[in-house]
Amino acid sequence: MIKNTIILLAIIFLWATIYPQHSWSGLPPVDRVKTMLNAIITIQTDPGLQGKKHVAERQTRIKEEIIRNMDLQSMARGSLGKYWQEISRQEQEEFTAIFKELFLDSYSRMVLNFIKQEKIEYGAADEKGEEAQVATTLIRDNDSIDVDYVLHRSAKSWLVTDVWVDGVSIIKNYKRSFAKIIRKASFEILLSKLRRQQQVIRNHSSQ
Amino acid sequence: MGQSLILRFLDRIVTVVTWRPRLTVLVAFLLAAFSLFYTATHLEFKTEQLDLISPENRLVQLAGRLRQFDKLDKFIVAIDNHDPQRARLFLQHLTNRLKADTSHYAELFYRVDPQGFEPWALLYLDQQQLEKLIEGLTENRSVLFRLCQHPSLVFYYQLLNENIARALMDEFFTGFLYEEKDDDEILNFSFLTGALTSLNSYLKTGRYISSWNSFIKSSDYAGENQGYFTTENGQYLLLFVTPRAMEEGFIGARTSLARLRLEIRAVQKDFPDIEVGVTGPEALSVDEMNASMGCMGLATAISAAGLTLLLILFWRSFRRPLFEMFELLVALSLTFGLTTLVIGHLNILSVVFAPLLLGLGIDYGIHWLARYQEFRQDRSLSTRAVIHKTVMAMGPGVLLAGTTAALSFFPLVLTDFQGIVELGIICSMGMIMTTLTTTCLLPALVLAFDRPAGHRKAKDRGRPFLPLTSGRARFIIAASVFVSCISLFNLSYVKFDLNMLNIQAKNAESVIWEKRLLADSQRSSMYGAILVPNLKEVRQKSAALENINTVSEVHSILTLLPDNQKSKLTILKKLEPLLPASGNLRGSLPPVDLHKLEKTLAGIRFKFGDSSQADGALQKEMDRVRNLAGDLLATLRSNEGTSLQSRLNCYQEEFMADLAGKLDILRANSSQQRPMTQTDIPPSLFKRFVSDDNRYLIRVFPAGNIWDPDFLAAFVHDLQSVDPDAIGDPVTLSVFTKAFRDACIKASGYALLFIAGLLLVTLRSLRLVMLAMLPLVAGTIWAGGLMKWAGISLNVANSLFLPLIVGAGVEYGIIILQRWRQLGYGTTALPFSTGKGIILAGLTTVIGFGSLVLCDHQGTASLGILAALGSVCVMLAAVFFLPSVLFLLSGESSRRKEQ
């Protein structure tokens, strides 16, 4: 009996090791997106968090959801494209730290603006190896926009690595803008602009 | 000796005209009828300001050089442009009708074909705009190339939607990186609103509006106006009409204008919502002349009716007033005939002579009939004998007063102002004619048709007009002197208003529309003109003029050519790689996918759904996009089926062809090898700046209010400092107003001197001359004083009043002195008949001038007011002031005789 129990646990352990996405700690791509969006809508529609005075609190909680569901490290790397390899480790670390802060602020602001009580339709996940794409449609009255989520399977779970709004990728947009500055000026200049914006955000938050 | 000669002459005259009185009347009537016929068939009208200035004047001669340019664009048709498509449709209908009428319209100028400018259209942008254009094309390069590869309306909107999404990303995620860009650049949705408006308009009205013009919108000729002319803010679409009948003078221009207005009204029946009006230099002149002629007709009729009524009231008889009016109308008809014969035309000043003449010329008949009535009381005398006695008694006075009045107008001839010269000649002839008819026709009329006045006793026989005592006379003199002093003081405050706008007819269509166009435009429609023989001088003088403060814009053939062409051509080379091939755009296109279009538009509207976070202009722009997209979605969801599908397909075709056309223009500009030269300018524009003999016109626009005399003087001075031969409307206006004012002052001075000289010769006594002129001098001073209280300024029209009333003013003095002399210079007060005659004569003059108050033309009306006021004052001075002075002087001489 004890032996059988040990064998069963071993099988479960092995199964969990081989298929982590199906484990208790990882949701499938559609569920991951759904969980994130439901949480955001819950925050946005929480009667206790309505009004301007609760904007900051809602933003903080939205940021927590973003951190929980998005792979910000990978997004920072992706936004620099080929330039990631050209900068030092120290610069990479600093860039990533600032990027995370800026992205959290920008994305949470966008969410605060666009996602309120919209109806969301989910399409099936398009999984290709370690990548998956979940198509959603945000519907408000008779109008709608397509928002597609790109997810990457990490060690523990599926995490969002990019968002496409009506065919335009956030990360590609970053990449285009960052590349333009690096091409025209340098990475240092880009970093200085990011630092400045980081300061602006911090100042704004502390007010 | 002289007196007896005149009496012998008068005796002969009265014998001849009363020999067969009815025959005399018939001859007069026939002569008057012939004069009117001759006038109707031969009299012309001159309407321009320059017609009023002497042909010898240098300005008039210089203006002749502008004739080729001046005869163009005489009428301007302004069409309400609130709906540009509809306004252009109206224009098309109107021009079609006008083009068919070649006998009245020589040229219609309403559009410069943009195709002529297209290969150089972009050179009209400044370098900054060119850089911006290139930047815009660079930013939209991907959209343009992708669209040209896969031309489809849906794809275009998908691309736009994608761009909006990208802009949204920029706004939230990377906007801070572009801090050096201004907000407008980041948030400019004009391209999107242009596209939505264009599609909306097409689906609703079937009219295609290009949304691609933003590429080359800064070029006037190839831009949104597509070569049509509009006022500065686009409120009115303009059509310039050159009438063919200009050579035939005023009548031809009036006919052309009337026909033009008829054609406009005819087209307006199909466009009741579009307001249209005609203005322009010739329309203003014709309307002004029409107003003056209308005024002349009305004022003459009212004046004649008023005079008749006044005479009936004064004489309590119908018969004699009719004699008087008949005699006067014969004189007027003869004056018209003589005017036609001697001058051949009327101008804007002389056209009002008829009512003036009625008021002035009637006086002699009144004095004559007043004396006739007085002598008629003597029942022992036959009518013929009474008439003879009247002629002998009144004749010398009438002849002297008439000749004096005629000569008082003669000095006007000595001015070098053609308008006043002609008015002087006409009025002189008029006074001679009225003197003649009073002397020759009135006795015959009275003899032929008068009947005894019944048994009414003359209450006033021997009664003085104003019973005077020494004290009363002294009081009147003191009061008169006091009023004169006050008036002289007030006179110093009366201003001379040179602003010609203040004297124009208020209600004339051309004036109303001219003011509308002026209000709609930042600069005046009047410009100074300089003619130079070569382009080098055009450059030099234009540069000098552009540095002058009173000048706002300088237009010449060079301003039609783009500047800095060489460097711009270099910049334009950068366009080439940004322009996709347009071949696919003209091929067959896939039908518009309604579902996809709807989905894309819904996506666009979604993004503009909440504008509450945006501020000011951005919020407005977002709302506009949302509404336009909403309108389109409503149309697409209206289930119109095949009709909607086919309209969308048609729109798609026009849209792609339009883009192809714009890309071709851009490509033609980018591959342009040579700069634009004056030979590339379309002929219709070229001839407005270069004369047939290759002289170049520089149009200089003022930077201030041209109607402000001080600014006008400064502008003209500046203009002439660059070129002493500068001409054009401001110069004409300036020279005209000053010349007119000076001519009036000069004419008044001449008239006074002339009359004084004439009286000195006739009366042979300086004292009598001064006495004769006393009512005129005192009355004029009083009238001047009253002007300040009445708030009347002297202006270019009413300053004529002084030379006009000089004759009448002296006449009263002469009549009174004549009577005083006949009474033996005694202390007898002014007889009632003489006083009554003068008051009646004064009132008739007031009616004659006063009738002009009814004129629409404000200048003529103000002349009427002032001349009437002057006449009343002169009359009051004649019946109160002069008799009092004579009374005291008679007393003095009696006392001296007694001593």
Side-chain angles (χ1 to χ4, degrees):
Chain A
M1 181 66 186
I2 292 169
K3 189 183 170 187
N4 286 344
T5 306
I6 291 168
I7 290 169
L8 183 61
L9 283 173
I11 291 168
I12 291 170
F13 177 76
L14 280 171
W15 184 81
T17 312
I18 295 165
Y19 301 104
Q21 74 274 33
H22 293 145
S23 72
W24 53 270
S25 59
L27 292 168
V30 175
D31 289 350
R32 166 64 71 191
V33 172
K34 209 179 266 185
T35 305
M36 179 178 75
L37 292 178
N38 284 344
I40 287 171
I41 288 173
T42 305
I43 296 165
Q44 284 281 71
T45 54
D46 184 345
L49 293 175
Q50 297 309 302
K52 278 189 176 173
K53 61 178 181 179
H54 294 296
V55 170
E57 190 183 343
R58 271 189 283 146
Q59 190 171 14
T60 307
R61 289 178 61 178
I62 288 168
K63 282 180 183 174
E64 287 165 11
E65 288 303 321
I66 294 167
I67 293 167
R68 195 169 297 138
N69 294 288
M70 290 187 164
D71 185 349
L72 298 176
Q73 179 83 32
S74 147
M75 291 168 92
R77 194 170 51 242
S79 71
L80 267 188
K82 63 175 184 180
Y83 297 106
W84 180 260
Q85 303 298 333
E86 296 174 10
I87 55 174
S88 68
R89 189 167 187 78
Q90 197 184 349
E91 283 173 327
Q92 285 176 349
E93 280 170 9
E94 187 186 359
F95 173 81
T96 305
I98 300 174
F99 177 87
K100 282 181 179 175
E101 203 171 331
L102 297 189
F103 179 82
L104 280 173
D105 177 74
S106 298
Y107 198 80
S108 59
R109 273 194 295 118
M110 190 172 81
V111 166
L112 280 169
N113 269 281
F114 277 88
I115 301 181
K116 283 165 190 172
Q117 288 179 313
E118 280 72 16
K119 186 182 159 195
I120 302 173
E121 282 179 359
Y122 294 89
D126 182 10
E127 283 189 47
K128 280 177 189 164
E130 301 297 300
E131 300 287 329
Q133 188 162 336
V134 176
T136 70
T137 305
L138 254 69
I139 301 168
R140 183 195 302 144
D141 301 327
N142 282 327
D143 304 331
S144 61
I145 53 167
D146 293 336
V147 182
D148 297 345
Y149 295 87
V150 177
L151 297 95
H152 179 78
R153 184 160 44 197
S154 71
K156 291 181 180 173
S157 65
W158 286 96
L159 287 174
V160 175
T161 55
D162 194 4
V163 181
W164 291 64
V165 179
D166 259 345
V168 179
S169 149
I170 291 177
I171 296 304
K172 280 194 175 176
N173 198 58
Y174 269 126
K175 205 166 151 182
R176 182 172 55 87
S177 304
F178 289 168
K180 203 171 168 182
I181 293 172
I182 295 171
R183 262 200 320 273
K184 274 189 177 174
S186 63
F187 176 76
E188 285 69 33
I189 297 292
L190 172 67
L191 203 56
S192 69
K193 282 179 183 264
L194 296 176
R195 282 192 204 112
R196 205 178 310 142
Q197 182 64 11
Q198 183 188 36
Q199 200 53 50
V200 170
I201 293 167
R202 285 181 179 175
N203 291 344
H204 189 256
S205 304
S206 62
Q207 280 170 7
Chain B
M1 173 73 183
Q3 190 73 6
S4 65
L5 190 70
I6 291 170
L7 289 175
R8 277 209 304 279
F9 170 71
L10 287 169
D11 182 55
R12 289 274 165 82
I13 291 283
V14 76
T15 309
V16 171
V17 297
T18 55
W19 174 61
R20 289 282 187 271
R22 284 171 193 264
L23 181 66
T24 306
V25 173
L26 183 66
V27 168
F29 179 78
L30 289 176
L31 266 175
F34 174 73
S35 290
L36 287 179
F37 174 75
Y38 179 64
T39 301
T41 51
H42 289 80
L43 186 67
E44 288 179 1
F45 296 92
K46 291 200 170 180
T47 57
E48 293 188 16
Q49 280 181 358
L50 282 176
D51 293 332
L52 302 177
I53 303 173
S54 164
E56 269 74 49
N57 187 296
R58 188 162 163 273
L59 179 70
V60 178
Q61 288 169 353
L62 286 173
R65 295 162 56 190
L66 270 187
R67 202 172 302 281
Q68 186 193 334
F69 303 106
D70 260 0
K71 71 180 182 187
L72 296 169
D73 311 333
K74 289 288 188 180
F75 300 142
I76 300 172
V77 181
I79 303 163
D80 180 13
N81 197 33
H82 74 272
D83 180 346
Q85 293 284 336
R86 208 161 152 68
R88 279 176 207 167
L89 200 63
F90 179 93
L91 178 69
Q92 194 186 333
H93 279 68
L94 180 63
T95 49
N96 285 345
R97 290 178 76 110
L98 298 179
K99 276 175 191 166
D101 187 358
T102 50
S103 59
H104 286 95
Y105 307 107
E107 191 186 332
L108 306 173
F109 188 49
Y110 54 94
R111 188 183 183 214
V112 176
D113 189 354
Q115 278 188 337
F117 286 91
E118 276 173 5
W120 297 277
L122 297 184
L123 293 176
Y124 286 96
L125 304 179
D126 61 35
Q127 295 197 10
Q128 203 181 356
Q129 287 172 315
L130 274 180
E131 297 287 3
K132 213 168 176 178
L133 168 72
I134 290 168
E135 198 180 309
L137 282 170
T138 310
E139 275 175 20
N140 292 296
R141 187 172 183 273
S142 156
V143 172
L144 280 176
F145 274 79
R146 287 163 75 190
L147 183 61
C148 287
Q149 260 178 338
H150 306 287
S152 133
L153 188 65
V154 172
F155 186 48
Y156 173 63
Y157 276 94
Q158 284 172 340
L159 291 170
L160 284 182
N161 190 25
E162 198 180 298
N163 269 5
I164 298 162
R166 190 162 287 125
L168 202 69
M169 299 285 178
D170 281 340
E171 181 68 11
F172 281 106
F173 296 93
T174 53
F176 66 91
L177 295 171
Y178 309 118
E179 57 202 354
E180 64 274 18
K181 279 193 171 183
D182 58 46
D183 285 350
D184 288 349
E185 219 168 331
I186 294 169
L187 305 167
N188 184 0
F189 299 122
S190 60
F191 207 66
L192 176 63
T193 51
L196 293 171
T197 307
S198 172
L199 182 55
N200 243 326
S201 159
Y202 191 86
L203 292 180
K204 280 181 184 163
T205 65
R207 288 198 295 265
Y208 177 77
I209 301 169
S210 176
S211 58
W212 297 109
N213 280 331
S214 52
F215 279 140
I216 47 175
K217 65 182 174 187
S218 298
S219 168
D220 283 346
Y221 300 109
E224 285 164 351
N225 290 334
Q226 294 172 17
Y228 289 95
F229 302 117
T230 61
T231 48
E232 227 162 290
N233 65 8
Q235 203 172 339
Y236 297 103
L237 186 64
L238 302 175
L239 159 65
F240 299 90
V241 181
T242 304
R244 189 176 292 286
M246 290 306 302
E247 306 303 323
E248 295 165 25
F250 167 72
I251 302 294
R254 187 171 65 172
T255 310
S256 296
L257 181 60
R259 285 191 70 90
L260 178 60
R261 284 179 172 148
L262 275 179
E263 298 287 6
I264 289 171
R265 304 295 166 254
V267 180
Q268 265 185 318
K269 281 179 188 160
D270 294 329
F271 297 83
D273 54 319
I274 293 190
E275 247 192 311
V276 185
V278 184
T279 183
E282 191 64 21
L284 282 165
S285 292
V286 169
D287 278 349
E288 189 169 29
M289 195 67 179
N290 272 339
S292 292
M293 286 171 67
C295 156
M296 180 182 76
L298 180 71
T300 307
I302 287 178
S303 176
L307 292 173
T308 311
L309 193 67
L310 185 71
L311 294 181
I312 289 169
L313 287 173
F314 255 69
W315 287 332
R316 279 169 278 170
S317 152
F318 284 98
R319 194 174 290 269
R320 287 172 194 165
L322 287 180
F323 294 159
E324 177 56 38
M325 291 315 295
F326 180 78
E327 173 252 317
L328 197 58
L329 291 175
V330 167
L332 192 60
S333 306
L334 293 175
T335 310
F336 266 115
L338 279 172
T339 301
T340 311
L341 185 69
V342 176
I343 298 173
H345 59 256
L346 289 177
N347 59 47
I348 190 76
L349 284 177
S350 60
V351 76
V352 293
F353 86 91
L356 299 182
L357 206 59
L358 283 179
L360 292 171
I362 200 169
D363 292 2
Y364 312 127
I366 288 170
H367 296 310
W368 195 96
L369 282 169
R371 188 63 72 84
Y372 168 75
Q373 196 169 339
E374 188 185 323
F375 290 150
R376 201 80 179 86
Q377 306 298 326
D378 186 351
R379 301 261 159 210
S380 63
L381 294 172
S382 68
T383 305
R384 189 179 288 271
V386 172
I387 287 170
H388 187 268
K389 194 176 172 186
T390 307
V391 171
M392 290 299 112
M394 279 307 295
V398 167
L399 278 182
L400 180 60
T403 314
T404 309
L407 290 174
S408 76
F409 288 116
F410 182 72
L412 301 187
V413 177
L414 302 177
T415 65
D416 56 359
F417 199 89
Q418 191 68 10
I420 292 183
V421 169
E422 289 172 8
L423 181 66
I425 294 171
I426 295 169
C427 287
S428 285
M429 290 190 302
M431 296 323 292
I432 291 168
M433 287 302 105
T434 49
T435 309
L436 203 66
T437 51
T438 306
T439 311
C440 303
L441 178 60
L442 201 53
L445 268 172
V446 171
L447 185 61
F449 302 107
D450 192 35
R451 284 182 192 156
H455 300 289
R456 191 159 31 110
K457 274 193 176 176
K459 293 176 192 166
D460 49 358
R461 192 174 184 189
R463 185 157 65 94
F465 175 77
L466 179 69
L468 286 172
T469 60
S470 183
R472 200 176 279 175
R474 280 179 207 282
F475 174 76
I476 290 174
I477 290 169
S480 299
V481 171
F482 177 72
V483 170
S484 299
C485 291
I486 298 278
S487 296
L488 275 173
F489 178 72
N490 280 349
L491 204 52
S492 61
Y493 288 97
V494 174
K495 296 257 161 45
F496 199 102
D497 182 3
L498 283 170
N499 190 336
M500 294 288 283
L501 257 193
N502 294 340
I503 65 167
Q504 283 180 343
K506 275 182 191 165
N507 301 321
E509 180 187 318
S510 56
V511 174
I512 292 168
W513 279 88
E514 181 74 5
K515 284 181 179 169
R516 281 196 198 182
L517 294 190
L518 278 173
D520 198 47
S521 184
Q522 293 301 308
R523 61 169 162 75
S524 166
S525 62
M526 290 171 97
Y527 59 84
I530 291 176
L531 271 178
V532 293
N534 52 51
L535 278 174
K536 192 182 163 195
E537 277 196 51
V538 174
R539 257 183 221 104
Q540 283 171 352
K541 293 201 165 157
S542 297
L545 288 162
E546 275 160 5
N547 287 327
I548 292 174
N549 287 338
T550 54
V551 172
S552 70
E553 284 176 48
V554 181
H555 290 186
S556 70
I557 191 81
L558 291 180
T559 47
L560 293 181
L561 297 173
D563 57 0
N564 299 323
Q565 294 199 59
K566 209 173 166 186
S567 56
K568 285 182 188 172
L569 283 170
T570 312
I571 297 174
L572 283 175
K573 297 285 171 237
K574 293 184 199 167
L575 275 178
E576 268 184 272
L578 302 175
L579 302 171
S582 57
N584 287 350
L585 298 171
R586 293 193 170 95
S588 68
L589 303 167
V592 177
D593 185 327
L594 257 72
H595 175 69
K596 280 187 182 169
L597 183 61
E598 185 193 332
K599 188 173 171 358
T600 311
L601 287 168
I604 291 173
R605 192 165 74 159
F606 186 98
K607 295 183 195 68
F608 289 84
D610 183 7
S611 60
S612 58
Q613 304 294 317
D615 54 353
L618 177 62
Q619 188 178 38
K620 212 172 159 186
E621 191 78 351
M622 287 178 73
D623 290 346
R624 190 160 173 235
V625 171
R626 192 175 57 245
N627 292 337
L628 284 166
D631 279 359
L632 274 174
L633 282 166
T635 310
L636 295 178
R637 288 166 182 163
S638 62
N639 293 323
E640 286 181 43
T642 50
S643 149
L644 181 64
Q645 179 70 59
S646 89
R647 275 184 288 154
L648 280 169
N649 292 345
C650 288
Y651 176 80
Q652 179 176 251
E653 258 180 53
E654 280 206 52
F655 181 79
M656 295 302 167
D658 182 22
L659 173 60
K662 295 292 187 293
L663 286 172
D664 290 347
I665 293 173
L666 292 172
R667 193 170 293 105
N669 277 264
S670 70
S671 58
Q672 185 58 259
Q673 298 296 322
R674 66 173 183 87
M676 189 181 185
T677 62
Q678 53 170 316
T679 52
D680 299 312
I681 292 170
S684 56
L685 266 184
F686 185 80
K687 71 177 181 184
R688 281 167 170 78
F689 287 96
V690 183
S691 68
D692 290 340
D693 56 354
N694 280 325
R695 277 183 300 174
Y696 296 86
L697 174 66
I698 305 174
R699 297 173 195 241
V700 191
F701 290 89
N705 181 5
I706 206 72
W707 300 106
D708 171 3
D710 292 336
F711 175 81
L712 179 66
F715 177 68
V716 171
H717 173 266
D718 289 345
L719 209 57
Q720 289 175 336
S721 69
V722 174
D723 188 333
D725 287 347
I727 31 180
D729 293 334
V731 183
T732 308
L733 187 63
S734 172
V735 171
F736 171 83
T737 48
K738 281 184 189 149
F740 188 84
R741 181 193 58 190
D742 297 346
C744 284
I745 293 168
K746 207 189 275 183
S748 308
Y750 285 162
L752 282 173
L753 283 174
F754 208 81
I755 286 173
L758 188 79
L759 290 176
L760 197 60
V761 171
T762 318
L763 302 173
R764 292 175 191 171
S765 155
L766 188 61
R767 194 172 78 143
L768 287 180
V769 171
M770 288 168 69
L771 286 170
M773 295 185 73
L774 187 64
L776 173 68
V777 174
T780 306
I781 291 171
W782 298 353
L786 284 173
M787 280 173 75
K788 192 206 160 195
W789 284 319
I792 304 170
S793 300
L794 276 174
N795 60 40
V796 170
N798 67 21
S799 52
L800 254 184
F801 102 98
L802 194 55
L804 288 179
I805 65 160
V806 163
V810 173
E811 168 202 315
Y812 305 147
I814 291 172
I815 299 287
I816 290 171
L817 282 177
Q818 190 80 7
R819 194 68 198 264
W820 189 49
R821 197 151 71 169
Q822 284 168 5
L823 294 170
Y825 302 108
T827 49
T828 313
L830 182 68
F832 193 88
S833 66
T834 309
K836 185 177 163 185
I838 287 170
I839 287 186
L840 190 53
L843 289 179
T844 56
T845 311
V846 169
I847 287 176
F849 285 123
S851 62
L852 296 177
V853 172
L854 300 165
C855 286
D856 264 350
H857 192 269
Q858 296 177 80
T860 311
S862 73
L863 170 64
I865 293 172
L866 192 53
L869 190 67
S871 298
V872 170
C873 291
V874 170
M875 179 186 78
L876 291 176
V879 295
F880 292 107
F881 190 24
L882 180 61
S884 302
V885 173
L886 292 178
F887 184 87
L888 284 188
L889 288 175
S890 306
E892 287 277 316
S893 75
S894 304
R895 275 193 293 278
R896 271 204 298 273
K897 275 181 192 169
E898 281 166 17
Q899 283 167 4

